Amino acid sequence: MTATAISHSSAAMIDVEGVSKAFGETKALVGVDLSVPAGSVQGLLGPNGAGKTTLVRILATLLAPDAGHARISGVNVQDDPDTVRSLIGLAGQYAAVDETLTGRENLVMIGRLYRLSRQVAKTRAQESLDRLGLLEAADRPVKTYSGGMRRRLDLGASLVGRPQVLILDEPTTGLDPRTRLDTWAFIRDLVADGTTVLLTTQYLEEADQLADHIVVIDRGKVIASGTSAELKSRLGSDLIEVEVSAGDLEPALAALTEVGCRKATVDTERSRITIPTCDAVADLMAALRYLDHAGITPRDLGLRHPSLDDVFLSLTGRNTADEDPEPASITGRRTRGPAASRP
Ligand SMILES: Nc1ncnc2c1ncn2[C@@H]1O[C@H](COP(=O)(O)OP(=O)(O)OP(=O)(O)O)[C@@H](O)[C@H]1O
Ligand SMILES: [Mg+2]
């Protein structure tokens, strides 16, 4: 967005090194590393309680880490929080706007906090309101806004200071699909202008759409990182999806343990088993043989390409047959049993 941002294009704009943070017994972050090049979008993906907001608050100088360092554009967040605040814009997970003021008044006030002149603050407020489709509601008190409008206003507030680095904590949670698409387009525009974005999300599609690079955290630790395509390719080629009647789920799972090259994930509600393959056709045929051998006729059986959701399920262990997550299984392939042992 600015000349400064462009001059930093090869260096890390956000740099996190061995950051840890505990709240009493809860280890919210454990030795997290992260490096985000200028002008790119970093997705930070993780389930509830993974530590996403904790990392956001450390980067935004709102919370001190117990160990490690975090830098924005080379500036240590603890040594020089004022400079860091002048470089970043933050749209938090919970809207931080004043209910009694109008949308416009909120943005002008934030501009004044950035020490902009009244005139510049007004111009910036107008730009933000326009960009986020809030002009019509600009002069109404925020307490009359819908949830989606508040989130958009919060996003607008993060832009008033024209930040080089934008930190967005679940920017589209609670938005309807249309507004979510608008928000994505808006974030893409900012990135095209040179803004560096750190985006936390629980929506895999959002990370898939926006992020150049994704870090997955769970229980405060980085458990995987890469581009969306890299993360998906770690699951092997395609996935076998088997749907059986509810009563057949356990026996089918037992029958299919030797199929594929990694642990299956199970959707108990739909009685559906998803198995990452190494050799899709051979594995599909093996699945049929094993099921037939066990006397189980599936309701549905097929192959499909992996989505980021599959990666997430596999990584975090949520929804799997085995409750204990096994992050190592994503990087190291499970060795297959000898072919001779197959029926
Ligand atoms: N101020 C605090 N005091 C005590 N525990 C906290 C505090 N802030 C966070 N935690 C705990 O730290 C862990 C990480 O929380 P955090 O809010 O960073 O997760 P998150 O990934 O943002 O989750 P969500 O997706 O629900 O927003 C959780 O177990 C949470 O309960
Ligand atoms: Mg959070």
Side-chain angles (χ1 to χ4, degrees):
M1 187 180 271
T2 64
T4 330
I6 290 159
S7 71
H8 276 91
S9 58
S10 58
M13 197 55 139
I14 304 174
D15 186 28
V16 174
E17 232 183 277
V19 163
S20 297
K21 179 76 195 178
F23 299 102
E25 294 290 292
T26 308
K27 290 179 177 164
L29 294 173
V30 186
V32 170
D33 296 321
L34 195 70
S35 177
V36 187
S40 69
V41 181
Q42 173 71 53
L44 187 62
L45 217 61
N48 288 133
K52 303 180 297 293
T53 299
T54 304
L55 185 60
V56 162
R57 293 180 65 209
I58 288 171
L59 288 169
T61 77
L62 302 172
L63 191 70
D66 296 336
H69 301 283
R71 295 180 199 87
I72 303 282
S73 192
V75 183
N76 188 306
V77 295
Q78 283 179 282
D79 296 347
D80 192 353
D82 286 344
T83 302
V84 168
R85 280 180 212 147
S86 73
L87 293 168
I88 64 166
L90 169 70
Q93 187 168 5
Y94 307 102
V97 285
D98 188 325
E99 294 261 315
T100 59
L101 300 180
T102 68
R104 189 188 302 279
E105 285 164 349
N106 264 289
L107 297 191
V108 171
M109 182 183 74
I110 287 157
R112 297 291 282 164
L113 292 176
Y114 273 106
R115 300 203 177 87
L116 302 175
S117 71
R118 178 160 293 280
Q119 195 46 51
V120 174
K122 276 186 177 171
T123 311
R124 298 267 182 97
Q126 177 76 9
E127 278 171 14
S128 282
L129 290 163
D130 188 17
R131 209 158 178 183
L132 287 154
L134 285 172
L135 271 185
E136 238 170 79
D139 298 307
R140 268 171 33 201
V142 171
K143 59 177 177 248
T144 69
Y145 283 23
S146 71
M149 290 162 82
R150 280 168 205 238
R151 294 222 39 98
R152 275 186 283 156
L153 184 65
D154 209 40
L155 197 55
S158 69
L159 298 174
V160 169
R162 295 229 177 117
Q164 293 181 28
V165 176
L166 192 58
I167 300 174
L168 305 174
D169 197 3
E170 302 199 21
T172 65
T173 296
L175 296 185
D176 64 59
R178 174 77 250 165
T179 314
R180 175 169 300 153
L181 288 179
D182 289 347
T183 307
W184 290 354
F186 173 74
I187 294 169
R188 284 195 189 98
D189 280 355
L190 291 171
V191 174
D193 283 347
T195 311
T196 308
V197 177
L198 176 77
L199 167 97
T200 85
T201 185
Q202 290 185 52
Y203 300 113
L204 293 303
E205 198 199 347
E206 184 157 293
D208 211 355
Q209 286 281 329
L210 292 177
D212 298 301
H213 192 267
I214 296 169
V215 161
V216 185
I217 62 169
D218 191 24
R219 299 181 173 95
K221 288 186 190 157
V222 173
I223 55 171
S225 76
T227 62
S228 173
E230 280 166 1
L231 291 175
K232 286 179 199 169
S233 74
R234 291 185 190 181
L235 275 185
S237 51
D238 288 334
L239 299 162
I240 296 174
E241 213 158 59
V242 186
E243 207 176 297
V244 293
S245 60
D248 280 342
L249 187 61
E250 284 301 320
L253 202 52
L256 293 169
T257 46
E258 291 298 315
V259 176
C261 54
R262 240 180 313 284
K263 206 167 57 175
T265 56
V266 183
D267 181 340
T268 43
E269 255 166 55
R270 292 175 175 161
S271 308
R272 187 184 289 167
I273 302 167
T274 304
I275 307 167
T277 66
C278 287
D279 179 337
V281 174
D283 286 334
L284 186 63
M285 288 172 68
L288 277 168
R289 282 199 304 274
Y290 278 111
L291 287 169
D292 190 41
H293 195 69
I296 298 167
T297 307
R299 281 205 300 233
D300 197 14
L301 178 72
L303 277 173
R304 67 174 173 80
H305 296 310
S307 71
L308 211 49
D309 289 83
D310 299 309
V311 179
F312 190 68
L313 284 177
S314 168
L315 280 168
T316 61
R318 306 288 188 274
N319 237 1
T320 58
D322 179 355
E323 272 303 295
D324 184 28
E326 221 180 285
S329 66
I330 197 78
T331 44
R333 303 211 143 174
R334 196 181 86 193
T335 32
R336 303 170 74 166
S341 74
R342 304 181 151 217

